[in-house]
Amino acid sequence: MIFPANFPVIYKDELILKKPLITHFKDIFEIFSNEEVVMYDIFPKMANYDQAKRYIERYEKEFAEKEEITWIIHDRNSEESVGVCCLGDFDFDSQRCEIGYDIKRRFWNQGYATKTIKAITEYAFKELGLNRVEAFISPENKASIRVLEKCGYSYEGLLRQRDLIKGKLEDAYVMALLKDDSKKSLLR
């Protein structure tokens, strides 16, 4: 695996995935202060702008420490940010990582999650040299499961009481896409 020395910018279709800057704090707040958006995330909904700024600082630190790459997702046509996505939990020896994404509520059901997942999965395989990208999804998060399936990810099993979500241990589905399997699924 080759972790990028400089923060990568991804151009894919009408999306631009770029480094979150402190000036994006209102966008980060809009994403993570929405109860519906964070329903299946491990953290509670965001309460104020200071928290959003701390998230952005954490994203920068995680990139510097080669732990995670978090992008803010922009629509090239409207120039508006629509969400965030990430690749993280890298296992360099096994050539794998985990994918994550959150889309602003007002942009749900417009194809942004699908296009974003395809873009960062392709980046993981082509640019980082990974062989496997994994997602851990709440079994109740039907929309996210459908989007991952649409992008070629396969259901691999149930991990019982894997994540502490809002104070309760919850199950997670593991879904994954292998580099060899991605050639046809990422083209759809």
Side-chain angles (χ1 to χ4, degrees):
M1 181 188 145
I2 304 163
F3 198 89
N6 298 312
F7 195 92
V9 176
I10 300 173
Y11 296 88
K12 183 74 173 173
D13 302 321
E14 71 268 15
L15 299 180
I16 302 174
L17 282 55
K18 56 187 178 179
K19 181 179 181 177
L21 303 173
I22 201 70
T23 54
H24 293 120
F25 73 91
K26 289 182 181 177
D27 295 308
I28 299 299
F29 182 76
E30 182 180 348
I31 297 163
F32 295 116
S33 65
N34 185 294
E35 193 71 48
E36 287 181 274
V37 173
V38 300
M39 183 181 303
Y40 302 111
D41 286 330
I42 60 173
F43 43 82
K45 85 175 192 175
M46 196 172 276
N48 56 55
Y49 286 151
D50 286 337
Q51 283 181 303
K53 291 174 184 175
R54 285 194 299 275
Y55 270 43
I56 294 167
E57 290 167 357
R58 189 185 80 224
Y59 298 154
E60 193 166 324
K61 181 177 182 262
E62 288 170 338
F63 180 78
E65 294 175 358
K66 300 181 179 177
E67 293 175 9
E68 186 168 293
I69 306 169
T70 300
W71 291 272
I72 192 150
I73 308 160
H74 282 270
D75 182 299
R76 285 162 86 157
N77 299 321
S78 69
E79 297 184 10
E80 190 163 7
S81 73
V82 298
V84 294
C85 61
C86 67
L87 296 172
D89 198 18
F90 295 100
D91 184 326
F92 302 106
D93 295 329
S94 298
Q95 301 174 353
R96 66 177 158 80
C97 73
E98 187 176 334
I99 190 172
Y101 46 89
D102 285 286
I103 305 296
K104 289 179 180 178
R105 176 63 184 99
R106 61 192 168 103
F107 293 109
W108 284 9
N109 300 311
Q110 297 179 38
Y112 288 109
T114 302
K115 291 172 187 167
T116 297
I117 292 166
K118 287 182 177 186
I120 62 175
T121 300
E122 183 178 308
Y123 178 83
F125 294 142
K126 290 184 177 178
E127 302 301 323
L128 298 181
L130 297 176
N131 182 61
R132 176 182 170 89
V133 180
E134 302 171 331
F136 297 93
I137 307 294
S138 169
E140 289 79 38
N141 192 346
K142 305 296 185 205
S144 195
I145 292 167
R146 281 192 305 273
V147 168
L148 287 163
E149 288 172 339
K150 188 176 182 180
C151 294
Y153 282 69
S154 298
Y155 170 79
E156 294 187 341
L158 174 70
L159 303 175
R160 297 171 52 217
Q161 298 183 359
R162 180 189 187 269
D163 297 309
L164 184 65
I165 299 178
K166 317 297 188 281
K168 183 179 174 206
L169 287 171
E170 299 283 352
D171 297 342
Y173 284 163
V174 60
M175 298 181 72
L177 184 62
L178 301 178
K179 185 175 189 173
D180 287 345
D181 297 337
S182 72
K183 291 172 179 65
K184 52 185 177 251
S185 61
L186 294 177
L187 297 174
R188 288 188 229 161

